[in-house]
Amino acid sequence: MAHRHEVIVVGAGGAGLATALYAAREGADVAVVTKLYPTRSHTGAAQGGIGAALGNVEEDHWEWHMFDTVKGGDYLTDQDAAEVFAKEVIEAVLELEHMGLPFDRLPNGKIAQRRFGGHTKDWGKAPVHRAAHAADRTGHMILQTLYQQCVKHNITFYNEFHVTDVIVEDGVAKGLVAYELATGELHLFQAKAIVIASGGFGRIYKVTSNAYTLTGDLQAILYRKGLPLEDMEFYQFHPTGLYPLGILLTEGARGEGGILRNALGERFMERYAPTIKDLAPRDMVSRAMYLEVREGRGVGPKKDHVLLDLTHLPPEVIEKKLPDITEFSRIYLGVDPLKEPVPVMPTAHYAMGGIPTTLWGQVIQDENNTVVPGLYAAGEAACVSLHGANRLGTNSLGDLVVFGRRAGIHAARFAKDADYHELTEEHLGESRERIERIKNSAGKEKVAALRAELQQTMMDNASVFRTGGLLAKQVEILKELMDRYRNISIDDKGDAYNTELVEALELGYLLEVSEALVHSALNRTESRGAHAREDYPERDDANWLKHTLAYKVADGKVTFRYKPVVLGRFEPKARTY
């Protein structure tokens, strides 16, 4: 089956839908190819809010938001991206409101805002109310609102289609190959412009807030093709995952006044970030929690977690402003946050790194910002380097809308003057071979067992704290897992809804992105943001104030190039809060 659309977006989360909507508004014929029904996308799980300097509760300025983003990113953030973002996210939030997004309101009718980690006023002097929210279901509301708009604009959706190949020939993007889950057929898609908005890859870790579908498919597909992945060593662990499940409890809980406590009942964040305490950036809070546990102040029979205490807050604040997380802790742990503190520990949450792009979402292939014509990326799959070495809470929802919109507008304008490229049945060959090989294999390895091993070893050797020794060990483990992956077999040989085949393909993607992450982490001999090397505890601006571009040469063999960080009005300084 062949399909043809001017702009094709891969992924129907916040970034994909924003891209599709703005491309359609530019007059392009737009389609979205997604492995999930759109409103099931992972943006729907985002709870806390979308940060913008609206100044509805107290004085705020986009310059302060930009400063917090750069400082939060440990000065690896490209400052031109942070500036575009801090300005345009204000407009983006108001546009969402005009589309009908049901934000919480202040008594005067304006959009309500809450505090959030790392967001400050007056260049870091005190926390600020900046996160616009719809209870603790903000991502869900953004997703629903954008999807309704896409339906209104008659955008074509290919739901439950798994992209298996991006056709890039002579340095130009020409189309896609996708596997239709319902029939097992491969489809060919012709496009003038392709936008990758396929989300993150938290499923490389055992404890994660990410849905089962977040397997880094498109990052891996482009990486195999010789395109680079940028800053993959920076992976964020969110401090408050429900222990031991990893289900997320929003930072909004701390924004509303929640306090982290150790076994002694101490508010331990006072030791690590005296000014903004529990609202320090996520990388710092996650490390503080691990240190408390490591030093014997953990809670429970195994002393292996800490507590999030909301019991001092008025019950109506918890029930009204944080209804979802209250329900989560009651359902999954049998803990009532009104009456007792909730057990929490960091959970793998967000990739700062990904497919490198320009400020307009154009995918670049080297340190000179050489563009791949017709190829774009936005959202968590992309790295415009807004987030640097550590993303601030709320900045991902802002990122989706701001850079999704920019990618959509640019892609539509590019498509106006571009031609379609000839594609033939032969372009299906590589995907067909891979699928047939898995289906016909008589190998002894099982997907679930390999995936469990990958997730456990990544957790042990490449998570919150890292050392050269552990990362080198993980390099060897990944090589061995990749060898064993060639030997996997599946029991389901059918065509319709073959989820076992899909999981086998996804395991391949997980292995690829893990390889890029671990090699990049071993290569960066400093600590910065979410990348904490215990053997190199200091940030090293002299040698490492630069972006990593990781290129795959062969399994287990990765080469690096480097791209300068775009500096600007904020000089790199030590990060204290």
Side-chain angles (χ1 to χ4, degrees), residues 214-235:
L214 274 87
T215 47
D217 306 15
L218 274 295
Q219 291 92 320
I221 287 168
L222 295 182
Y223 176 62
R224 282 174 193 164
K225 290 199 165 311
L227 287 168
L229 294 175
E230 180 177 352
D231 290 343
M232 290 291 280
E233 60 270 42
F234 299 105
Y235 197 90

Side-chain angles (χ1 to χ4, degrees), residues 29 107 122 143 150 218 232 253 258 261 264 315 340 404 437:
D29 162 32
D122 215 2
L143 197 59
C150 287
L218 274 295
M232 290 291 280
R261 300 193 187 279
L264 307 173
E340 54 190 320
R437 196 166 59 239

Side-chain angles (χ1 to χ4, degrees), residues 118-135:
H119 290 278
T120 67
K121 55 182 169 190
D122 215 2
W123 322 109
K125 292 208 176 111
V128 72
H129 291 74
R130 185 177 290 148
H133 52 86

Side-chain angles (χ1 to χ4, degrees), residues 309-311 318 330 335-341:
D309 185 2
L310 303 169
T311 55
I318 301 178
R330 285 171 184 156
V335 170
D336 185 349
L338 296 175
K339 301 192 180 106
E340 54 190 320

Side-chain angles (χ1 to χ4, degrees), residues 35 54 57 66 99 124 135 200 202 214 224 232 250 285 323 348 352 357 411 434 437 448 477 531 536 538 540 569:
K35 68 181 189 180
L54 305 172
V57 176
M66 176 187 172
M99 289 175 198
L214 274 87
R224 282 174 193 164
M232 290 291 280
T250 174
V285 182
M352 272 74 71
T357 72
R434 179 172 284 140
R437 196 166 59 239
I477 290 171
H531 174 64
Y536 294 96
E538 298 304 313
D540 176 2
R569 61 172 84 182

